[in-house]
Amino acid sequence: MVRRSTVDRSPQPDLYSTGYDPGTGTQQARNGKRPRSGSGWRGAGGRWLVWTFRVVVWAVLLIIGYRGVMAIVLNETPPSKTPPAPAATADSGFPVQGASAYALAFGQVYLNASPATATQRASELAPFLPPGTPDQQLGWNGGGSLNLQSEQVADVRVQDAQHAVVTLLARVNGNMMELGVPVYAAAGGLGISGQPAWLPAPKPAVQPAPPAVNTDSAAESELMGQLPDFFKAYASGDQSTLGRFLAPGTSVTGLGGTVMFGSVTGVTAPAGGDVRHIVATVVWEVPGATAKGTRAANTTANLEMTYALTIERQHGTWYVQSIAPSTQAAGQP
C-alpha cells in the first residue's frame, strides 16, 4: 500500500522567508543579509519618526530652560492669583469720624485770625499741635485778619491707620476755598501732624442743555389752574386739605407753615400719557423781619424754587403722586 504525503500549500509565515531553521530554532540570514529585529518600525521611515520625536522633546526642554533662566535674570515673578491689597480706606483702622470732627474744630481756630486776638488764637491752637511746637501761630505772620463764615468736611483721604488728610470746604473772608488738614491718630488720640494746605474751591460744573421735549400746552394751562391750591396745602401741611390733591396711596408731609404760598410762576409738562413728570416753579413767602432802608422796605422775603412732580390723571383731574427737588432748571421737564 502506497502512502501519499500531504503537502501544506497554505501561505507560510515570514519566519521561513528569512531562513528559519526548525531544527535549531534560530533564524538564518538569507543571501548574506542580516535579519531585521522586531516586528515594528520597519525600514528608515521608523528611524525618522523616532528622531523627530526626540527633536521635539529636546526643543520643549530647551524652551522651558530658557524661560526659567530669563525669569531669574530679569527678576520676574509669576502672576499671583491673589488680588492686590486695596488702597487704605476708612476700614484701615483710622478713626475717620473722630478725625473729621477734630479737623472741623481745628479749622474754627486756624481760619479765624486777628492781631487783636493773636494771643488767644495761639492758646487755642496749642492743644492741636505737638508739644514744643515753635510756631504757635502755625504759619500766620500776625498781620491782617481771617474771618471764617462756614466750613464742613468735603473729603477724608486715609493713608494708613495713623495718617489721613481731612479736606474742609470753607468760606473765608467771603471766598470759598478748601483746606487740607493733615491729621495723625495714635493710642486713641488725635493731632495735627503738619501745616494745612490752602486748596482751590471746586470748579463750577456746567450742565449741558437737555434734549428738546415736546410739551403739552393744554396740560400746562390746566395745571396752572390746579397747582396753586396744591402748593397752598403743601405750605400749610394740613393733611386733610393736602389729601384732596394726592393720588391714592400717596403720602406727602408738607412744610408745616414754615413758608406761605406766593404764586406758581411756571409749569412745564411733556406731552403724552396719563402719568407725567413735570416741573413747577413756585414763589414762597418766608415769614420774618421785613427789609428796611431799601427799595424792598416793608416787604417779606420771597424765594422762587423749582420742584419735580409726578402727576396722574384720573377722571379728568390731575393728582400728585410725588414731589421732590428738581434737577432741571425752570422750564425743563
Side-chain angles (χ1 to χ4, degrees), residues 49-50 75 152-153 155 166 168 184 188 207 218 229 240 249 267 269 273 280-281 302 311 320:
L49 289 175
V50 173
N75 195 25
Q152 56 188 318
V153 176
D155 185 31
V166 179
L168 303 178
Y184 175 77
Q207 181 175 331
D229 290 336
S240 60
V267 176
T281 304
N302 289 353
I311 58 174
V320 176

Side-chain angles (χ1 to χ4, degrees), residues 24-51:
T24 63
T26 59
Q27 190 174 1
Q28 304 296 327
R30 175 179 290 182
N31 299 327
K33 295 182 179 179
R34 188 173 179 175
R36 298 169 184 168
S37 61
S39 59
W41 301 110
R42 297 178 178 274
R47 288 195 298 271
W48 275 112
L49 289 175
V50 173
W51 280 106

Side-chain angles (χ1 to χ4, degrees), residues 27-316:
Q27 190 174 1
Q28 304 296 327
R30 175 179 290 182
N31 299 327
K33 295 182 179 179
R34 188 173 179 175
R36 298 169 184 168
S37 61
S39 59
W41 301 110
R42 297 178 178 274
R47 288 195 298 271
W48 275 112
L49 289 175
V50 173
W51 280 106
T52 302
F53 177 75
R54 289 178 179 176
V55 170
V56 172
V57 171
W58 276 106
V60 172
L61 292 176
L62 288 173
I63 292 174
I64 295 174
Y66 171 77
R67 291 181 64 85
V69 172
M70 293 304 296
I72 296 173
V73 172
L74 300 177
N75 195 25
E76 295 178 349
T77 56
S80 175
K81 296 182 179 180
T82 303
T89 62
D91 295 334
S92 65
F94 186 86
V96 174
Q97 292 185 346
S100 299
Y102 189 79
L104 283 170
F106 168 78
Q108 285 283 343
V109 180
Y110 180 80
L111 293 175
N112 280 300
S114 172
T117 58
T119 302
Q120 179 182 352
R121 182 178 185 271
S123 64
E124 292 177 352
L125 278 177
F128 296 97
L129 307 180
T133 300
D135 184 5
Q136 297 182 351
Q137 296 292 349
L138 200 59
W140 179 49
N141 66 349
S145 63
L146 299 174
N147 183 20
L148 174 66
Q149 282 89 44
S150 64
E151 65 169 350
Q152 56 188 318
V153 176
D155 185 31
V156 180
R157 296 195 177 184
V158 178
Q159 298 177 358
D160 51 45
Q162 294 181 312
H163 299 86
V165 174
V166 179
T167 302
L168 303 178
L169 179 63
R171 183 172 293 277
V172 179
N173 292 355
N175 299 315
M176 187 177 293
M177 51 85 71
E178 287 188 353
L179 185 73
V181 182
V183 180
Y184 175 77
L190 294 167
I192 304 301
S193 59
Q195 289 184 339
W198 192 295
L199 303 172
K203 62 181 181 180
V206 180
Q207 181 175 331
V213 176
N214 293 329
T215 57
D216 187 343
S217 58
E220 291 173 350
S221 177
E222 185 178 358
L223 289 167
M224 284 292 292
Q226 294 182 7
L227 286 179
D229 290 336
F230 164 74
F231 279 109
K232 288 178 184 178
Y234 183 67
S236 68
D238 180 28
Q239 291 298 306
S240 60
T241 304
L242 191 58
R244 303 204 320 259
F245 304 96
L246 302 179
T250 300
S251 176
V252 174
T253 301
L255 302 179
T258 56
V259 295
M260 294 181 294
F261 174 75
S263 63
V264 175
T265 60
V267 176
T268 305
D274 289 335
V275 177
R276 312 275 184 96
H277 301 285
I278 69 170
V279 173
T281 304
V282 184
V283 174
W284 298 120
E285 296 180 359
V286 183
T290 57
K292 296 181 180 180
T294 66
R295 294 181 180 178
N298 300 323
T299 61
T300 57
N302 289 353
L303 285 176
E304 184 179 80
M305 297 184 174
T306 304
Y307 292 86
L309 297 93
T310 300
I311 58 174
E312 178 183 358
R313 191 172 184 83
Q314 295 182 5
H315 310 295

Side-chain angles (χ1 to χ4, degrees), residues 8 10-31 35 42:
D8 186 2
S10 62
Q12 299 302 310
D14 290 344
L15 56 88
Y16 288 102
S17 66
T18 57
Y20 184 82
D21 188 352
T24 63
T26 59
Q27 190 174 1
Q28 304 296 327
R30 175 179 290 182
N31 299 327
R42 297 178 178 274

